Amino acid sequence: MPLDFRRFNGPEDSVSYKIYTKDYLKTYDEQLKDLYDENGKRKDGRELNEARSMCMFCMFARTDMVSQAKGSAYVELRKTKVVCSVFDPREIPHQNEFRQLGQLYCEVKFAPFSCPRKRRPYVPDVEEKALSVALRQALEPAVCRHFFPNYQIDVLIYILEHDGSCLAAAINAAGLALANAAVPMFDIITSCSVAVIGNKMFIDPTEIEEHIAKNSTEVNHGIITMSVLSQLKQISDFTQIGSMDVECVTKVMEVLLKECEIIVPNIQRILVVDVVKNFELKKHLEAETKKREEILKKKMDEWRSLLNGQ
Amino acid sequence: MAGLLLSSTEKVFIVHGVQEDFRSDGRSNIDYRPMELETDVVSHASGSARLRLANTDILVGIKTEIDTPKPDKPDMGKIEFFVDCSANATPEFEGRGGENLASSISNTMQRAYHSSQAFDLKQLCIVEGKQCWKLYVDILILECGGNLFDAVSLATKAALFNTRIPLVKALLMDGGNVDLQLSDDPYDFKFLDVGSAPLLVTLCKIGEKCVVDPSAEEESCSVISLIVGITGNSKSYCADKGASNLSDVDIKCSTISMNGPGSLAPKTLKNAIHQGIIAAKVLDDSLGQALLRERRENINSMKSSYGFLK
């Protein structure tokens, strides 16, 4: 693991204290039973097919989070918290050839305190680099890249707390931030993920559900994340890890298409609120400007009359 | 993919050909180009394979080392993939140019081999919680002729089939420490069970249809390709006569990802996955037959090795 020698790092052979707790010794079956109770409700009270974006107080999203960025967004899916900033187009560093289409530079970073199992180092590790590539893969078809040839737009994601569905939250946040930054786009982009353990489908999984799905030994297990351009009905990114047969993959794809469509009205509402707010601000500023111009004109007339009167 | 310049007329020619299921080199949309495979080409590696798929040349070397297992997976070994795009393949890979492609290939391979149903890491365990085998799979891309993912996964599976793990002769438990004594006899080893190891199939969307095994020219005509990792059928890799009595294991998707700046309609995605599964089945069978034939020739000392001479 490459260390950043400009900062203090913990001793290299230190491990998380959690491996010495009772929870750690639970067998796979006990962990699985923990995930949902007899009524089919999950640990956090949701149904198996309930996404965090739908229940009240579960999904919160706003734009204009970072004042220094051209556009920004903050998405909170209960405990998962993601900030995204988008900056103005700038020249592509270290580049010689001319490119007809603009580039998207995506970077996903976990805060060191964000993950429940271990501390994240400051240097981007393999998982963060893979998430950055997946984010770029999802956003590229949505952005009108022919409007900024030979330039690159920076999309920077910072994950403050990781409780599952990080990539989905990041893609939703990036879509909002790009719209907030007035980057021309073809469509609204939404994303959702599903964890499959055996014959159960957990929509919008939490971190524990994701961990069990990835390491399960059942016949069908794994995680699928999908992002969709809603009006154009195009899938911009589809990633699957685990082991599933084709019927399972097809079933999950249908479910995800529906889930991604459900999120769209929320996104639209937030964007409309953002645009209305900006218009009102503009009107307010114009009214203020007019008032000041009136006062200035009066003063100018006064002085003019004084000068002429002299 | 690597600095190819095609005129728009050439691209139209390729697209029209694909619509008629007749590609520029006479293949149909689901045909692979002829391949040459040879294992055991590197004497210092525990296993190696070299694959030539038309103009694509891949060399895989596998090194085995003894390591301590992860605390949360005490009975499982480890496997790690490293891809090196050598500057031989194209001048674009000089220095750090090939890094993005290399990390994308190694991430996809790591995801494909993650599930225990794809590659059982329990066979790499020596002493539970204390010692396990770690496989370093080093993939060297010597020449780029399109369809890197497929070639890499084929060569990796062949190299893993060829890998020899030394047998443990004696074990000394001294308090908490374990002292291993491995056999000195070069013929005293065990082979790995890699029948279910996944093969990646790249489906390139050109126009309305998807083609399997795109050449470099065809890749530059496409904006989106789908990479499906399909687990293998252990039956094809079993030399016993009684293998035909083994039940056919259902093939599973162990990883799905998209590559490219475009997007896919849901129906195209579904059809492409089915097409990929058909291609993977045939590929897996032929690879199994070729590897078993090579192993038989090796045992009877009839194998003539060419290495890099042919």
Side-chain angles (χ1 to χ4, degrees), chain B residues 168-206:
Chain B
V168 176
K169 275 292 164 220
L171 207 69
L172 206 73
M173 282 283 285
D174 177 15
N177 297 338
V178 183
D179 258 329
L180 289 176
Q181 217 172 20
L182 298 172
S183 167
D184 278 336
D185 191 351
Y187 293 101
D188 202 5
F189 54 79
K190 70 168 182 177
F191 282 119
L192 289 173
D193 174 25
V194 289
S196 58
L199 288 177
L200 301 176
V201 175
T202 308
L203 294 125
C204 208
K205 177 161 178 278
I206 299 178

Side-chain angles (χ1 to χ4, degrees), chain A residues 158-181:
Chain A
Y158 201 61
I159 301 181
L160 298 169
E161 193 173 338
H162 171 30
D163 191 30
S165 286
C166 277
L167 182 59
I171 294 174
N172 285 329
L176 271 175
L178 282 167
N180 184 227

Side-chain angles (χ1 to χ4, degrees), chain A residues 43-250:
Chain A
K43 211 170 179 185
D44 53 4
R46 288 185 283 154
E47 298 281 345
L48 275 185
N49 60 355
E50 204 180 322
R52 278 175 285 192
S53 40
M54 274 333 284
C55 46
M56 274 284 273
F57 306 122
C58 273
M59 163 144 155
F60 172 80
R62 60 163 287 192
T63 52
D64 268 336
M65 168 84 172
V66 177
S67 55
Q68 301 295 321
K70 178 94 192 287
S72 59
Y74 171 71
V75 168
E76 194 175 290
L77 288 172
R78 256 227 188 126
K79 285 203 202 151
T80 302
K81 300 172 174 68
V82 173
V83 182
C84 177
S85 326
V86 170
F87 291 90
D88 290 284
R90 62 178 173 127
E91 274 189 28
I92 305 179
H94 314 306
Q95 205 203 221
N96 298 324
E97 51 182 9
F98 179 83
R99 288 188 206 230
Q100 291 285 359
L101 295 174
Q103 301 294 310
L104 281 177
Y105 174 72
C106 296
E107 198 179 291
V108 175
K109 188 84 193 64
F110 281 97
F113 42 77
S114 56
C115 294
R117 283 168 210 279
K118 59 172 183 166
R119 174 182 177 271
R120 290 276 167 171
Y122 283 101
V123 180
D125 56 16
V126 176
E127 187 183 345
E128 287 165 354
K129 289 200 188 130
L131 281 176
S132 311
V133 168
L135 179 66
R136 182 188 172 161
Q137 176 65 41
L139 293 177
E140 267 186 335
V143 171
C144 300
R145 292 158 67 209
H146 54 280
F147 278 132
F148 48 100
N150 214 29
Y151 278 89
Q152 94 178 11
I153 286 187
D154 296 335
V155 179
L156 309 169
I157 296 261
Y158 201 61
I159 301 181
L160 298 169
E161 193 173 338
H162 171 30
D163 191 30
S165 286
C166 277
L167 182 59
I171 294 174
N172 285 329
L176 271 175
L178 282 167
N180 184 227
V183 170
M185 288 167 63
F186 289 112
D187 199 354
I188 292 178
I189 179 165
T190 54
S191 166
C192 193
S193 61
V194 161
V196 173
I197 306 177
N199 56 356
K200 295 217 185 304
M201 248 198 282
F202 294 80
I203 298 189
D204 200 5
T206 57
E207 201 274 334
I208 295 189
E209 291 162 358
E210 277 187 354
H211 181 77
I212 294 186
K214 270 215 293 227
N215 300 320
S216 162
T217 47
E218 309 249 0
V219 174
N220 275 342
H221 69 99
I223 304 172
I224 296 188
T225 306
M226 180 159 107
S227 59
V228 175
L229 298 173
S230 51
Q231 284 288 6
L232 299 172
K233 298 209 186 349
Q234 293 276 307
I235 297 175
S236 70
D237 188 39
F238 188 91
T239 31
Q240 181 246 340
I241 182 175
S243 161
M244 301 178 200
D245 50 39
V246 193
E247 294 85 44
C248 187
V249 172
T250 332

Side-chain angles (χ1 to χ4, degrees), chain A residues 27-52:
Chain A
T27 61
Y28 169 75
D29 285 322
E30 286 175 5
Q31 284 177 343
L32 193 55
K33 249 198 298 178
D34 256 351
L35 284 183
Y36 54 88
D37 62 14
E38 326 77 47
N39 300 333
K41 282 209 187 272
R42 293 142 91 171
K43 211 170 179 185
D44 53 4
R46 288 185 283 154
E47 298 281 345
L48 275 185
N49 60 355
E50 204 180 322
R52 278 175 285 192

Side-chain angles (χ1 to χ4, degrees), chain A residues 218 234-235 243-244 246 254, chain B residues 72 117 253 263-264 270 277:
Chain A
E218 309 249 0
Q234 293 276 307
I235 297 175
S243 161
M244 301 178 200
V246 193
E254 302 291 328
Chain B
D72 51 341
Q117 289 173 5
C253 300
S263 58
L264 281 176
K270 261 188 266 193
I277 287 185

Side-chain angles (χ1 to χ4, degrees), chain A residues 4-17:
Chain A
D4 184 3
F5 291 107
R6 293 168 291 189
R7 302 174 205 261
F8 287 118
N9 293 297
E12 282 211 23
D13 53 356
S14 60
V15 291
S16 165
Y17 68 88

Side-chain angles (χ1 to χ4, degrees), chain B residues 17-31:
Chain B
V18 167
Q19 304 306 102
E20 304 290 323
D21 200 17
F22 195 77
R23 291 146 90 179
S24 343
D25 47 10
R27 290 183 284 156
S28 83
N29 284 349
I30 52 168
D31 280 337

